[in-house]
């Protein structure tokens, strides 16, 4: 497992280096999610939690393991050997509360109890609960609960892992947003540097007033300030992204230089797939969401506990039968109650049964509580899906409107530049149009990010359904 993780990390790292050789160090959303899924401490912790649940089942099965025991003993006082004993026995617990035993006992001595049998003695026995613990007992309850707990843990850890991956993926696209804003401001700075140079040259020919150079310089400085702010935000977003990057030895992946996203907001699969995703989610039954299955398995555990507590109302009646055969004697099994046997019948009945009644009542209340939690979780999930669905549809329509609005601002800027070249406008009006266009572009990037993040919420919600 560790070797496979190292190989995977090397492959991902090489893909980083390939990007570096081409241009600069870049990472795609798919590469990023792969690193988080395979190396993030929380993802690994959730996997280990599943292994603990599997071990709990093995531990519960241990209650049904045969037990082999032996005993040696001797008592000697003033040269008198009271007894010398050798004993070997095997106990076999079974599923239905019946215990089987087999043993060999050799006893010798000068002062044995009158109930003891001298010499070698073979014994085979059975203990049968006739009321309490016959249909259900603590051993079976623990094993059943361990199995339910494993399914419960698997459901919980899958949901938690998907929540981690959702947070990581949305962090990636927030990082992409900050990078695209930085690119937008950088492009604006480049355009305004050229405009300032052009204005300074036209001033030399007396074609524009000197105040236009001040206007062009002010616009450039404004965009330079915005560029620096955008760069700072991009660096901060990179640091947030780094929190999700880990190596296979659980060491934080140190970024020695700035990395850049290889994916663009405009190329996200959400634009082509969101309608299919919405249709797919409509066919999903909330009852099959792993968060609901978690409570269903918890309900099974509580039902197991209720069944166990109900056993306390029954009287404890245990029947024990042992067959004996002395060493070197011919075995004579039948009839069972004729010779070489021992039996016992034990009866216990709590008089008031206050403990049984209270324990059973508590078990029923816990079941009712879990049913309420299940209903609440189902409602919460349905509300989340509907909320995310409305977000996706709304942001998608906003993108169309924002793109149309941006197109209009571009036309207005182009028209203003034409009027300026004809001497019918001013640099102030051009800058005003340009500022609005840049704001519209930044707004479009922000809406695209919100659309992608809402799509991701639905996507990872779908991943948390059992089928």
């Amino acid at each position: 497992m560790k070797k496979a993780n190292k190989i995977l990390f090397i492959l991902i790292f090489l893909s980083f280096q390939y990007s570096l050789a081409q241009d600069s160090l870049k990472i795609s959303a798919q590469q990023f999610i792969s690193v988080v899924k395979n190396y993030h401490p929380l993802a690994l912790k959730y996997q280990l939690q599943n292994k603990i649940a599997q071990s709990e089942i093995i531990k519960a099965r241990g209650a049904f393991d045969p037990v082999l025991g032996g005993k040696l003993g001797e008592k000697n006082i003033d040269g008198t050997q009271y007894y010398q004993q050798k004993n070997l026995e095997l106990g076999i617990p079974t599923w239905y509360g019946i215990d089987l035993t087999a043993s060999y006992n050799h006893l010798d001595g000068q002062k044995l109890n009158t109930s003891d049998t001298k010499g070698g003695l073979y014994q085979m026995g059975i203990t049968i609960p006739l009321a309490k613990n016959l249909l259900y007992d603590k051993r079976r309850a623990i094993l059943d609960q361990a199995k339910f707990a494993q399914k419960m843990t698997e459901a919980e850890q899958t949901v938690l892992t998907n929540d981690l991956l959702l947070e990581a993926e949305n962090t990636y696209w927030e990082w992409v947003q900050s990078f695209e804003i930085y690119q937008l401001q950088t492009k604006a700075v480049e355009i305004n540097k050229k405009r300032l140079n052009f204005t300074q040259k036209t001033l030399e020919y007396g074609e524009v007033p000197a105040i236009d150079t001040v206007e062009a310089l002010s616009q450039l400085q404004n965009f330079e300030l915005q560029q620096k702010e955008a760069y700072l935000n991009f660096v901060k977003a990179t640091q947030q992204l780094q929190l999700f990057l880990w190596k296979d030895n659980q060491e934080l992946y140190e970024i020695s230089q700035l990395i850049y996203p290889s994916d663009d907001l405009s190329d996200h699969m959400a634009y082509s797939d969101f309608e299919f995703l919405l249709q797919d989610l409509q066919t999903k039954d909330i009852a099959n969401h792993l968060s609901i299955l978690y409570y269903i398995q918890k309900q099974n555990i509580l039902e197991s506990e209720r069944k166990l507590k109900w056993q306390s109302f029954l009287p404890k009646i245990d029947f024990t039968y042992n067959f004996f055969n002395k060493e070197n004697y011919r075995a004579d099994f039948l009839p069972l109650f004729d010779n070489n046997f021992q039996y016992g019948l034990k009866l216990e009945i709590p008089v008031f049964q206050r403990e049984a009644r209270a324990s059973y009542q508590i078990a029923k209340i816990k079941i009712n509580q879990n049913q309420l939690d299940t209903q609440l979780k189902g409602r919460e999930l349905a509300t989340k899906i509907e909320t995310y669905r409305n977000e996706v549809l709304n942001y998608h329509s906003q993108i169309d409107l924002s793109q149309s609005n941006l197109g209009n601002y571009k036309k207005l800027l182009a028209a203003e530049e034409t009027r300026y070249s004809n001497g019918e406008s001013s640099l102030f009006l051009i800058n005003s149009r340009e500022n609005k266009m840049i704001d519209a572009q930044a707004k479009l990037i922000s809406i695209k990010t919100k659309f992608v993040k809402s799509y991701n919420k639905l996507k990872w919600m779908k991943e948390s359904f059992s089928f």
Side-chain angles (χ1 to χ4, degrees):
M1 181 68 179
K2 189 173 182 180
K3 184 177 180 181
N5 281 339
K6 283 189 175 181
I7 294 175
L8 180 60
F9 181 80
I10 291 172
L11 290 175
I12 297 173
F13 180 76
L14 287 176
S15 67
F16 288 5
Q17 297 304 310
Y18 176 76
S19 299
L20 176 61
Q22 298 295 315
D23 182 13
S24 58
L25 191 60
K26 294 185 177 182
I27 181 173
S28 67
Q30 184 177 1
Q31 290 171 332
F32 178 66
I33 293 299
S34 179
V35 171
V36 175
K37 189 174 183 179
N38 288 281
Y39 304 112
H40 196 282
L42 282 180
L44 298 179
K45 176 185 175 182
Y46 300 149
Q47 295 173 20
L48 293 175
Q49 194 65 36
N50 289 331
K51 292 183 179 180
I52 291 176
Q54 294 171 2
S55 298
E56 289 291 345
I57 294 180
I58 298 175
K59 177 182 176 182
R61 292 187 189 278
F64 296 91
D65 288 347
V67 178
L68 183 64
K71 180 180 179 182
L72 291 174
E74 181 178 353
K75 182 178 180 181
N76 196 308
I77 299 177
D78 293 333
T80 301
Q81 186 184 63
Y82 278 64
Y83 69 83
Q84 184 183 45
Q85 183 182 24
K86 298 177 183 178
N87 179 266
L88 183 66
E89 63 180 20
L90 174 66
I92 305 175
T94 66
W95 178 256
Y96 291 101
I98 299 174
D99 290 335
L100 303 175
T101 58
S103 68
Y104 170 76
N105 185 59
H106 186 276
L107 188 63
D108 197 5
Q110 300 177 25
K111 293 189 177 183
L112 301 178
N113 295 328
T114 55
S115 61
D116 291 334
T117 303
K118 197 171 185 179
L121 185 68
Y122 294 96
Q123 173 261 327
M124 289 182 292
I126 185 171
T127 300
I128 304 174
L130 300 180
K132 182 179 180 181
N133 297 331
L134 176 61
L135 299 178
Y136 208 59
D137 63 359
K138 189 172 183 179
R139 290 183 308 201
R140 281 172 278 179
I142 291 176
L143 180 56
D144 285 343
Q145 291 174 20
K147 291 179 179 178
F148 296 139
Q150 181 190 17
K151 295 178 181 178
M152 183 177 168
T153 301
E154 288 175 350
E156 181 185 33
Q157 304 313 315
T158 299
V159 172
L160 290 174
T161 300
N162 289 341
D163 288 345
L164 171 66
L165 297 178
L166 168 62
E167 182 184 0
E169 187 165 6
N170 280 347
T171 300
Y172 177 88
W173 290 108
E174 289 173 354
W175 178 57
V176 173
Q177 172 187 254
S178 65
F179 179 64
E180 292 191 2
I181 293 292
Y182 170 63
Q183 286 183 310
L184 175 65
Q185 298 297 340
T186 300
K187 184 177 180 181
V189 168
E190 293 173 353
I191 291 174
N192 278 270
K193 281 182 178 179
K194 293 178 181 179
R195 182 175 296 153
L196 176 60
N197 291 335
F198 177 77
T199 303
Q200 288 173 338
K201 289 181 180 180
T202 53
L203 175 63
E204 294 176 1
Y205 294 103
E207 297 179 3
V208 295
I211 195 64
D212 278 6
T213 59
V214 178
E215 178 71 28
L217 179 60
S218 297
Q219 181 78 338
L220 172 60
Q221 290 172 338
N222 179 54
F223 280 122
E224 285 178 335
L225 287 172
Q226 293 182 32
Q227 181 195 32
K228 291 183 181 298
E229 182 69 21
Y231 180 76
L232 178 60
N233 290 334
F234 174 59
V235 172
K236 289 180 179 178
T238 304
Q239 291 172 337
Q240 291 297 315
L241 191 78
Q242 186 180 357
L243 296 177
F244 292 93
L245 293 175
W246 294 77
K247 300 178 183 179
D248 63 333
N249 54 0
Q250 282 73 65
E251 291 183 3
L252 190 64
Y253 185 87
E254 296 292 342
I255 300 177
S256 57
Q257 64 183 104
L258 274 179
I259 60 175
Y260 300 95
S262 59
D263 292 336
D264 299 326
L265 282 167
S266 300
D267 297 330
H268 197 281
M269 61 184 297
Y271 299 101
S272 59
D273 289 358
F274 80 95
E275 291 180 337
F276 298 105
L277 178 60
L278 293 178
Q279 292 174 2
D280 197 9
L281 280 171
Q282 286 181 340
T283 64
K284 299 293 184 183
D285 186 356
I286 292 295
N288 292 325
H289 193 275
L290 292 177
S291 294
I292 299 297
L293 294 180
Y294 170 89
Y295 285 103
I296 291 175
Q297 297 304 326
K298 183 178 180 180
Q299 186 81 356
N300 291 334
I301 292 176
L302 295 174
E303 282 289 347
S304 170
E305 191 66 21
R306 184 195 63 80
K307 286 171 58 180
L308 182 62
K309 297 303 181 184
W310 185 84
Q311 291 291 313
S312 299
F313 288 109
L314 300 177
K316 183 176 177 59
I317 307 175
D318 292 342
F319 172 74
T320 301
Y321 177 86
N322 291 297
F323 170 77
F324 300 106
N325 187 56
K326 295 195 69 175
E327 193 173 21
N328 300 322
Y329 278 68
R330 182 178 65 87
D332 188 9
F333 295 98
L334 297 174
L336 293 177
F337 295 93
D338 186 30
N339 192 23
N340 299 332
F341 73 93
Q342 178 193 44
Y343 81 91
L345 193 63
K346 183 179 180 181
L347 174 64
E348 292 180 3
I349 303 177
V351 177
F352 298 111
Q353 292 195 335
R354 284 179 288 201
E355 181 180 357
R357 286 187 283 113
S359 297
Y360 188 72
Q361 186 66 21
I362 291 172
K364 289 177 64 178
I365 291 173
K366 287 182 178 179
I367 289 174
N368 292 335
Q369 287 178 329
N370 187 68
Q371 289 172 341
L372 294 174
D373 289 339
T374 305
Q375 294 175 359
L376 182 62
K377 177 57 70 171
R379 182 61 180 170
E380 178 186 328
L381 291 172
T383 302
K384 278 186 176 182
I385 291 175
E386 185 63 22
T387 301
Y388 300 155
R389 176 182 176 276
N390 291 334
E391 286 181 0
V392 166
L393 293 174
N394 188 275
Y395 288 135
H396 187 263
S397 64
Q398 285 187 42
I399 288 174
D400 293 336
L401 185 61
S402 182
Q403 287 176 332
S404 177
N405 187 38
L406 176 59
N408 292 332
Y409 278 123
K410 287 181 178 180
K411 291 177 183 178
L412 290 172
L413 176 60
E416 206 65 53
E417 288 175 340
T418 301
R419 292 182 60 202
Y420 180 74
S421 63
N422 295 331
E424 299 174 358
S425 184
S426 65
L427 195 58
F428 173 79
L429 290 175
I430 290 179
N431 289 342
S432 178
R433 298 292 189 191
E434 185 178 43
N435 288 336
K436 290 183 178 180
M437 185 192 71
I438 295 296
D439 290 342
Q441 287 178 316
K443 181 67 175 178
L444 177 58
I445 292 173
S446 175
I447 295 174
K448 285 182 176 180
T449 304
K450 292 177 180 178
F451 171 71
V452 168
K453 289 172 66 176
S454 297
Y455 172 85
N456 287 337
K457 292 175 184 177
L458 283 177
K459 181 184 72 173
W460 288 108
M461 178 72 75
K462 175 191 169 186
E463 291 296 322
S464 292
F465 279 91
S466 60
F467 57 84

